[in-house]
Amino acid sequence: MFTLPVSEKVSLKLLEQENAAELFYLVNESREHLREWLPWVDGALSPESYRPVIEMWLKQFAEHNGFQAGILYEGKIAGMIGFHKIDWINRSTSLGYWIGDRFQGHGIMTDSVRTLVDCAFSTYKLNRIEIRCGVENVKSRAIPERLGFQLEGIQRDGEFLYDHFHDLAMYSMLARDWN
């Protein structure tokens, strides 16, 4: 199964069905925080709700169309990160991520994003990566800013969250600009 080392304590791994319960419990304990920025949280009601999602993620990887990986911190699932659908014609993708409350503030996500950007440019030979974050999601926006992504603009009402729209900041990185 696909595993990508990030640091001494962190690695990225394709999740399997046996990870459904652990993933659910992480989302459940971080539900209030995650719900503020992610539209899918209310649909995650039990470990079983992750089984078809994990199957979809494995199919995405098998079809060479991006992947979603668990972020493991000292062997425990700390969050998720991955490439959304890859546009092979234009050699581009967007990258999404989230981390559980208790794992914030340790540089785990910045290191994980850096590793995936390296992978996108060196292994997949992509040219462009986009990251979209809620304009007011300061912690999420700090990651592309820290890594040198360019702010391209604001998508007004770019995402619907439960009962309201919110604006998204759109960042990009090109292969030629990545160090």
Side-chain angles (χ1 to χ4, degrees):
M1 193 56 66
F2 171 86
T3 303
L4 188 61
V6 173
S7 69
E8 214 173 274
K9 295 182 177 186
V10 179
S11 62
L12 308 179
K13 174 189 176 293
L14 286 183
L15 297 184
E16 301 174 78
Q17 294 298 335
E18 65 193 35
N19 302 117
E22 185 180 1
L23 182 59
F24 168 75
Y25 291 119
L26 177 64
V27 169
N28 202 43
E29 74 182 27
S30 301
R31 191 172 295 279
E32 186 177 325
H33 157 73
L34 295 175
R35 190 177 191 279
E36 186 175 2
W37 303 112
L38 300 171
W40 51 262
V41 175
D42 284 359
L45 302 175
S46 70
E48 287 70 37
S49 62
Y50 280 99
R51 296 197 183 284
V53 176
I54 290 171
E55 190 63 36
M56 181 180 65
W57 292 338
L58 292 171
K59 182 179 178 195
Q60 179 191 18
F61 178 75
E63 292 175 350
H64 200 57
N65 194 19
F67 61 87
Q68 307 305 309
I71 301 169
L72 302 184
Y73 178 74
E74 296 182 336
K76 301 208 180 321
I77 299 174
M80 294 289 299
I81 190 169
F83 299 134
H84 301 122
K85 181 181 177 186
I86 296 176
D87 177 346
W88 288 108
I89 293 170
N90 294 304
R91 296 183 13 222
S92 67
T93 191
S94 60
L95 194 152
Y97 49 83
W98 63 266
I99 193 161
D101 284 342
R102 64 186 152 113
F103 296 100
Q104 291 187 43
H106 301 288
I108 296 168
M109 191 56 74
T110 300
D111 290 344
S112 297
V113 171
R114 181 183 296 111
T115 297
L116 270 199
V117 172
D118 282 339
C119 177
F121 293 141
S122 64
T123 304
Y124 286 84
K125 305 298 185 205
L126 299 180
N127 182 59
R128 177 183 170 86
I129 299 173
E130 297 174 0
I131 295 177
R132 292 179 183 88
C133 308
V135 167
E136 296 178 20
N137 189 343
V138 175
K139 290 180 181 179
S140 191
R141 289 186 68 178
I143 294 164
E145 290 172 1
R146 193 177 298 126
L147 294 174
F149 278 64
Q150 296 292 315
L151 176 63
E152 291 191 338
I154 305 299
Q155 282 184 302
R156 297 179 314 136
D157 285 353
E159 183 174 49
F160 188 75
L161 286 175
Y162 307 101
D163 62 354
H164 68 282
F165 284 97
H166 73 121
D167 296 345
L168 296 175
M170 185 161 104
Y171 295 89
S172 72
M173 176 62 69
L174 301 178
R176 67 178 175 254
D177 298 329
W178 185 247
N179 297 332

